[in-house]
Amino acid sequence: MRETADPNALLSWYDRHARQMPWRVGPKARADGVRPDPYRVWLSEVMLQQTTVAAVKSYFLAFTERWPRVTDLAAAEDAEVMAAWAGLGYYARARNLLKCARAVAEEHGGVFPDTHAGLMALPGIGPYTASAVAAIAFDRPETVVDGNVERVMARLHDEHMPLPQSKKILTEHAEALTPTGRPGDYAQAVMDLGATICTPRNPACGLCPWRPACAAWAAGTQAELPKKAPKKRKPIRQGTAYLVRRVDGAWLLETRPETGLLGGMLGWPGTDWVDTSEPAPAEAPPIRAEWKTLPEEARHTFTHFHLRLTLKTALVPMDRAPERGAFVAAEEFRPADLPTLMRKAFDLARPR
DNA sequence: GACTCGTGGTC
DNA sequence: TGACCAAGAGT
């Protein structure tokens, strides 16, 4: 008879092996009564959505240095926040981050709600993030279910039904295990277990505090779990971007529409992007100029398609007015403010 | 439930 | 090199 998974065994493991991260109050400090700052917990959780810890660290430090409190962030300009988020991806997160900060500042007196329902009502906070903030910042016994927890539960219970179909069952397993004591530490402990021991490939079962309870370990199936529905392959889209430099060094840029891909981000004016099976999109030059096509196209892969972007460049005189976008002075232009695709295009087109 | 929505690291 | 993957949310 296999043992039942013991939350205390996991907490004991976490006390010894918790990862240190800039936004985390470790188990020792937590036991000494140190409370995490809900603003920092929320900010980190939003940044960590579908994003690796390694990628998040420098952004988290930059954001908290520049905007130490939620009211500081709420008072920031949209363009400043979008530029600071550039490169981290999933830019709807940044747009919702600002909406959420402003809602907390204006409708909640600058104080985050401390319940799952209160948090869920805020922009950019879904089931996972509401549970994470409620548990980690407010020590409420909420159950966090992220990709780590799904994997751990699928293996613990040897669940072979593929995701996302199995999500509900895995959530119920996770809820059944969540303890009423130390819920914040516990939430972080399950995710640390998934990130360092119960990893997608080559799980370190020999070091796992829950191995005695693991049905997949008993069956030898841990390497093939969790099962996932097959993914569709990515189509290829094509388009053209126009990189215009004025003789004084200014660059012609535009802020993209709020919705859709790279919404709200700075970018080069260009055509629509269409599937390569369709005719190439009509030219859409943002200004009258002599265009030069670069020998190399910018290639970039998004979540659901590959993009091949033809780059056209031009040098224009001071008195030439653009039909789209606006010139940004050379000394004010920072390539780091661009999303990665646009920065790639710039790196191929920049004068050297 | 099925799509959309980024990026960099890894094998 | 290409596919997979990482602390999901919104529509």
Side-chain angles (χ1 to χ4, degrees):
Chain A
M1 178 66 182
R2 209 168 43 247
E3 300 178 23
T4 320
D6 178 7
N8 287 319
L10 181 63
L11 282 167
S12 171
W13 171 84
Y14 181 70
D15 288 339
R16 285 173 281 127
H17 298 291
R19 292 179 292 170
Q20 296 185 32
M21 289 175 290
W23 48 85
R24 173 176 284 180
V25 173
K28 193 165 298 180
R30 187 67 195 81
D32 289 341
V34 180
R35 311 298 298 265
D37 176 355
Y39 168 62
R40 294 166 63 88
V41 174
W42 161 74
L43 179 62
S44 67
E45 289 301 341
V46 173
M47 287 184 167
L48 286 162
Q49 289 167 6
Q50 296 291 287
T51 309
T52 58
V53 167
V56 164
K57 279 183 179 168
S58 64
Y59 284 86
F60 177 83
L61 294 173
F63 267 68
T64 50
E65 168 85 10
R66 187 166 176 183
W67 300 294
R69 298 166 314 213
V70 67
T71 46
D72 301 320
L73 182 58
E77 300 277 347
D78 291 38
E80 303 257 325
V81 174
M82 300 312 287
W85 196 277
L88 199 54
Y90 284 141
Y91 298 100
R93 293 185 296 174
R95 301 193 299 271
N96 286 330
L97 192 79
L98 255 177
K99 285 183 195 163
C100 182
R102 288 168 181 164
V104 170
E106 292 161 18
E107 298 165 25
H108 299 272
V111 180
F112 275 87
D114 63 355
T115 64
H116 188 275
L119 290 160
M120 274 289 284
L122 292 166
I125 298 186
Y128 164 78
T129 305
S131 292
V133 175
I136 297 169
F138 300 113
D139 253 338
R140 291 190 177 273
E142 299 289 345
T143 302
V144 296
V145 183
D146 71 334
N148 288 305
V149 177
E150 288 172 354
R151 184 170 58 256
V152 170
M153 293 303 138
R155 288 173 174 165
L156 205 51
H157 296 273
D158 198 31
E159 177 56 64
H160 286 244
M161 183 191 296
L163 283 163
Q165 200 186 342
S166 59
K167 170 110 182 172
K168 180 172 181 177
I169 292 174
L170 299 178
T171 298
E172 288 168 2
H173 288 320
E175 286 168 346
L177 272 177
T178 303
T180 51
R182 300 181 63 188
D185 282 345
Y186 177 80
Q188 296 174 92
V190 201
M191 293 190 284
D192 270 23
L193 185 75
T196 64
I197 303 289
C198 196
T199 51
R201 285 171 303 220
N202 303 317
C205 300
L207 302 174
C208 183
W210 275 351
R211 190 184 67 180
C214 186
W217 167 261
T221 55
Q222 67 273 18
E224 58 192 76
L225 296 176
K227 305 244 184 224
K228 294 193 176 179
K231 315 202 163 151
K232 298 193 302 189
R233 60 179 292 271
K234 295 172 180 173
I236 303 170
R237 294 184 193 174
Q238 58 180 339
T240 299
Y242 303 91
L243 287 83
V244 183
R245 194 160 178 251
R246 203 166 58 186
V247 288
D248 66 343
W251 290 93
L252 183 58
L253 289 151
E254 67 179 10
T255 302
R256 299 172 60 84
E258 282 296 305
T259 56
L261 199 67
L262 309 180
M265 297 300 289
L266 212 50
W268 308 107
T271 66
D272 290 338
W273 305 338
V274 303
D275 196 275
T276 49
S277 66
E278 298 173 29
E283 290 287 333
I287 193 169
R288 184 167 59 82
E290 292 275 328
W291 299 103
K292 191 182 300 181
T293 302
L294 294 186
E296 197 176 351
E297 55 191 8
R299 293 195 172 203
H300 192 72
T301 298
F302 291 101
T303 313
H304 52 292
F305 65 92
H306 302 284
L307 178 66
R308 294 176 185 172
L309 195 59
T310 299
L311 304 177
K312 296 193 175 182
T313 63
L315 186 63
V316 300
M318 294 299 295
D319 59 356
R320 188 72 55 86
E323 294 170 30
R324 288 174 55 185
F327 281 102
V328 176
E331 55 271 21
E332 290 172 17
F333 173 59
R334 295 189 306 273
D337 291 354
L338 299 174
T340 299
L341 163 67
M342 301 298 175
R343 192 174 44 68
K344 278 186 187 175
F346 175 71
D347 287 341
L348 289 167
R350 70 196 304 171
R352 44 193 137 178

